Amino acid sequence: MKNKKLIIFLGSLLFLILFILKGVPLLVNLYLNSHADKIVSDLITRTNDFSGHKVKFGKIHLNYDYRGTYLELDSVAIFPDEIADNNRVKIDLLAERILLSGFLWKSLLLDNAIVLDSAELRKVTIHSMSPSLDSLNLKSKEEIKRKKGKDYTSIQVNHIDLDDFSIENRDIGNDSSRLEIAGLNVTANHFTLTSEDLEDPKALFDVEMIEGKIRHASIHFNEYRNEIITKNLTFSKEKRSLSIDSVRLDNKWDKYKYINDFRLETDWVELERGNLELVNMNYDAYFREGIIEAEKLLAKDIKIAVFRDKRKPDNTQKRPKMIHKIIGGIPKDLHVDMIKMENGYVSYEERPDNEAPVAGQIYFDQIDAEIINITNIPKMLDMHSELNLKANARIMGKGNVDLNVTYFLQDSTGGFTMNGHVKDLDLTAINPMLRPATQVEVRSGVIDDLSFDIKGNDVEGTGDLIMKYHNLAIDIRGKSYGKGQNVFQKIGSFLTNKLVIRSENPNKKGELKTGDIYFKRDQSKFIFNYWWKMILSGMRSTLTGEDEAKMREKAEKKD
């Protein structure tokens, strides 16, 4: 009798164990798969970003066991409800395949958290439409506060594999594209995104390992006139690297159409080509604190074109910042030990405010430069308070230029020092810029060596300049393009060459004339205009004999 009871007990226990191990998952799976559409749809649309959206599935399969739930989705579509508010972000998502494994229901039910062992997503395309970004930014904290109990407290995934992601955001008002990403592939381990991360404007997420590639990305801005385009962006936290094979700043309008869209004088700028690489990048600092920190930024084969139309009214109210304020005003915390440019090219084209039928142009090529110590982080400034720029290039493919600049980042007056050389410059090479702007051109002349030493700040700069040159002669051309000089222009050229300017320095007796540098900064002009005007003042002083006292006197009268 006792044996019979024992057998019944053991049999019942075995049945109970089998029921728990097999029956419970079977019943749970029957329930999950019979209600799969609603369960998965609720998991998606309960979040703040996807509320007001609908979900459809081509195929859905759930498989539960005690280690977690396996979810397979094919042909997933998420789209906004027809009555969705136009002031909300609208998202259309299409996914060819989504595989999620190790989903823990306990974490969802008890902690309102998503915990997964792995997530694999294939060929996901997201199109979103949103109101003006400015209008979104103007909302108060109360208005943008995320609804408690809707968004998850955290999303944790041990392994993520994204293949062929595409994302596009458009302006809901004019249907213009703001952001495009195509061909995003990412592999990541131990990914965590918390509700605190969503609230923190600096934090993104935690991840132990992440690497991937973006085939194409672009951002549209300046009322959609400009677009930054990148191709083949590769990143790796393990290698601490980020590289972009091709980066461009495209101005969608031609020079004159763009310029004429503004009432006041402005620059038309294009970055025609270039590639970038960040070396030894601190990914944790970026993901957790929003700090861009790297040992080196390499910029290779950069080509920049700038155009300005001086016939437009000058914007005397603008106040371009000096270098120390530009760096201090960067919205992201930044620290880069070195920025290095190799084989750069910069051209500047200017339509002068006169009757010249063409624009003047000057260019610099074979630019190699190093900028040491770029930082706007207060605790770093005590140790890295000086920014140093060293650069060398060619002017108009001929003369060689060397430049050294030191900026004192903690100097409230914008203090800096600058010195450099220009060597072996055939001055006829600058006629394409000189002729339209001044109606004068160089007939002959070579700068053998021009050296300068400057000390300045936000207000004014002073220094010394030595310009050694020979065989200098100019021609006064006036408004006559494509024609020879008239008799008055010939007389003016003769008198200028004989009485005003020196044809060589040092002269035949070996006497060397040095020049004084003085220029009071035009607060409405950018830093490069300031640099050029200081050097030009020293060149003019060398040619005419004007000293610093005389230049100061003129500046005071002008004020």
Side-chain angles (χ1 to χ4, degrees):
M1 188 71 175
K2 290 182 178 180
N3 289 337
K4 184 177 180 181
K5 289 181 178 179
L6 180 60
I7 291 171
I8 293 172
F9 173 76
L10 292 175
S12 300
L13 181 61
L14 179 61
F15 176 79
L16 180 62
I17 292 172
L18 289 173
F19 177 77
I20 293 173
L21 293 177
K22 299 293 185 180
V24 171
L26 177 63
L27 293 174
V28 170
N29 278 321
L30 287 173
Y31 174 81
L32 289 177
N33 283 285
S34 63
H35 298 80
D37 283 17
K38 185 177 187 311
I39 292 171
V40 178
S41 294
D42 288 345
L43 287 173
I44 296 171
T45 58
R46 70 185 292 181
T47 62
N48 193 42
D49 290 332
F50 283 107
S51 64
H53 287 70
K54 293 182 178 180
V55 185
K56 285 188 177 181
F57 308 99
K59 176 185 175 183
I60 182 168
H61 176 66
L62 286 160
N63 185 24
Y64 170 80
D65 62 28
Y66 288 104
R67 292 170 297 178
T69 297
Y70 172 88
L71 171 63
E72 179 182 355
L73 302 173
D74 282 343
S75 302
V76 183
I78 303 174
F79 51 94
D81 193 297
E82 293 180 359
I83 60 172
D85 185 355
N86 282 335
N87 291 322
R88 290 182 59 85
V89 176
K90 297 181 179 181
I91 300 174
D92 283 281
L93 183 149
L94 295 174
E96 183 177 294
R97 187 172 177 82
I98 298 176
L99 299 174
L100 307 176
S101 63
F103 179 85
L104 298 182
W105 291 95
K106 176 184 175 183
S107 298
L108 175 66
L109 298 174
L110 299 183
D111 302 322
N112 190 35
I114 298 291
V115 178
L116 294 168
D117 179 62
S118 66
E120 299 181 21
L121 297 90
R122 299 284 183 268
K123 291 188 177 180
V124 178
T125 302
I126 299 174
H127 294 281
S128 65
M129 298 192 73
S130 59
S132 165
L133 298 183
D134 292 337
S135 68
L136 291 177
N137 291 336
L138 288 174
K139 291 183 178 180
S140 67
K141 290 184 178 180
E142 291 300 320
E143 289 175 313
I144 63 173
K145 187 174 181 180
R146 309 182 77 84
K147 298 177 182 179
K148 189 175 181 180
K150 290 291 185 180
D151 282 344
Y152 300 109
T153 57
S154 68
I155 298 175
Q156 303 171 46
V157 188
N158 284 332
H159 178 76
I160 296 176
D161 187 3
L162 309 182
D163 180 31
D164 199 11
F165 248 57
S166 296
I167 302 169
E168 182 183 23
N169 174 255
R170 304 183 77 86
D171 190 313
I172 205 167
N174 55 29
D175 198 35
S176 294
S177 178
R178 289 197 191 98
L179 168 70
E180 298 170 273
I181 297 175
L184 169 62
N185 297 279
V186 177
T187 301
N189 291 334
H190 302 295
F191 170 91
T192 301
L193 171 67
T194 68
S195 57
E196 287 80 8
D197 292 335
L198 296 175
E199 297 289 348
D200 188 339
K202 291 186 176 181
L204 292 176
F205 47 76
D206 271 320
V207 66
E208 184 179 287
M209 184 282 292
I210 186 169
E211 62 181 18
K213 186 174 183 178
I214 299 174
R215 185 177 69 252
H216 170 90
S218 64
I219 299 174
H220 306 248
F221 63 99
N222 190 15
E223 297 183 359
Y224 307 101
R225 299 183 186 95
N226 301 99
E227 180 183 11
I228 295 176
I229 305 165
T230 64
K231 292 183 179 180
N232 297 328
L233 186 155
T234 304
F235 53 92
S236 171
K237 183 180 178 184
E238 182 180 6
K239 296 178 181 178
R240 297 172 65 88
S241 65
L242 185 150
S243 63
I244 303 173
D245 285 351
S246 173
V247 59
R248 292 193 301 118
L249 168 60
D250 180 38
N251 200 310
K252 301 176 188 178
W253 296 358
D254 66 45
K255 299 180 180 72
Y256 289 101
K257 179 181 177 182
Y258 180 86
I259 293 295
N260 289 329
D261 201 46
F262 296 87
R263 187 180 67 84
L264 299 175
E265 190 178 298
T266 190
D267 287 326
W268 178 95
V269 181
E270 278 200 340
L271 170 59
E272 297 181 12
R273 67 164 187 259
N275 61 76
L276 302 174
E277 180 181 0
L278 278 170
V279 178
N280 203 17
M281 178 177 174
N282 187 340
Y283 275 85
D284 287 326
Y286 181 71
F287 290 146
R288 298 311 310 154
E289 303 174 66
I291 298 174
I292 300 173
E293 183 178 2
E295 177 184 325
K296 187 183 296 184
L297 171 61
L298 297 176
K300 297 180 180 179
D301 301 322
I302 297 291
K303 184 176 182 181
I304 299 173
V306 181
F307 173 74
R308 178 172 282 261
D309 192 339
K310 301 295 289 185
R311 297 172 301 178
K312 302 284 288 186
D314 193 8
N315 184 2
T316 58
Q317 299 303 310
K318 69 179 185 292
R319 291 292 180 266
K321 296 178 180 178
M322 293 284 279
I323 296 296
H324 68 295
K325 290 187 177 179
I326 291 174
I327 295 173
I330 295 173
K332 284 279 188 183
D333 288 342
L334 174 71
H335 181 80
V336 179
D337 292 332
M338 175 190 292
I339 296 177
K340 186 171 183 178
M341 177 186 288
E342 296 179 357
N343 193 33
Y345 178 100
V346 176
S347 66
Y348 177 72
E349 189 178 3
E350 181 178 283
R351 188 66 183 265
D353 185 16
N354 57 34
E355 297 181 16
V358 296
Q361 185 178 36
I362 190 169
Y363 69 85
F364 298 83
D365 67 347
Q366 296 185 7
I367 303 172
D368 293 323
E370 290 183 358
I371 304 177
I372 309 297
N373 182 37
I374 310 291
T375 188
N376 61 359
I377 302 174
K379 65 181 181 181
M380 293 283 193
L381 285 172
D382 291 335
M383 298 180 291
H384 307 275
S385 61
E386 292 185 6
L387 179 150
N388 298 289
L389 164 66
K390 296 182 178 180
N392 58 80
R394 296 191 308 177
I395 302 177
M396 303 295 281
K398 295 186 178 181
N400 298 308
V401 182
D402 291 299
L403 179 67
N404 300 286
V405 184
T406 297
Y407 264 91
F408 306 103
L409 298 177
Q410 290 184 304
D411 186 343
S412 60
T413 68
F416 66 92
T417 61
M418 181 168 68
N419 62 76
H421 289 267
V422 179
K423 294 183 178 181
D424 303 322
L425 175 60
D426 182 347
L427 287 170
T428 60
I430 67 172
N431 280 332
M433 187 69 184
L434 186 66
R435 172 74 169 93
T438 65
Q439 300 182 359
V440 169
E441 66 181 23
V442 177
R443 183 195 307 164
S444 64
V446 175
I447 291 180
D448 302 305
D449 185 12
L450 183 154
S451 62
F452 54 89
D453 195 348
I454 297 171
K455 183 176 182 180
N457 54 34
D458 279 353
V459 179
E460 62 182 14
T462 60
D464 302 307
L465 181 142
I466 298 174
M467 183 169 63
K468 297 178 181 180
Y469 62 92
H470 67 274
N471 198 31
L472 176 61
I474 67 169
D475 285 335
I476 297 174
R477 290 290 184 176
K479 301 175 183 178
S480 57
Y481 278 80
K483 300 178 182 179
Q485 289 179 294
N486 60 37
V487 65
F488 298 105
Q489 291 167 348
K490 289 180 179 180
I491 293 173
S493 299
F494 175 81
L495 293 175
T496 300
N497 290 318
K498 292 299 182 182
L499 303 178
V500 179
I501 66 172
R502 300 166 179 261
S503 63
E504 57 188 6
N505 191 33
N507 61 21
K508 293 179 181 179
K509 295 180 180 180
E511 298 171 338
L512 179 66
K513 177 69 173 71
T514 61
D516 289 348
I517 291 174
Y518 176 77
F519 186 73
K520 189 171 183 179
R521 182 192 171 208
D522 182 343
Q523 299 293 318
S524 68
K525 302 296 184 182
F526 192 56
I527 182 64
F528 297 119
N529 175 274
Y530 185 26
W531 289 358
W532 165 242
K533 289 296 178 64
M534 285 187 292
I535 296 170
L536 185 61
S537 72
M539 296 172 67
R540 186 170 57 248
S541 173
T542 301
L543 294 172
T544 65
E546 191 175 53
D547 61 10
E548 180 183 332
K550 188 66 175 178
M551 288 186 281
R552 283 183 177 275
E553 182 182 341
K554 284 185 176 180
E556 290 175 3
K557 288 181 179 179
K558 187 177 179 180
D559 290 343

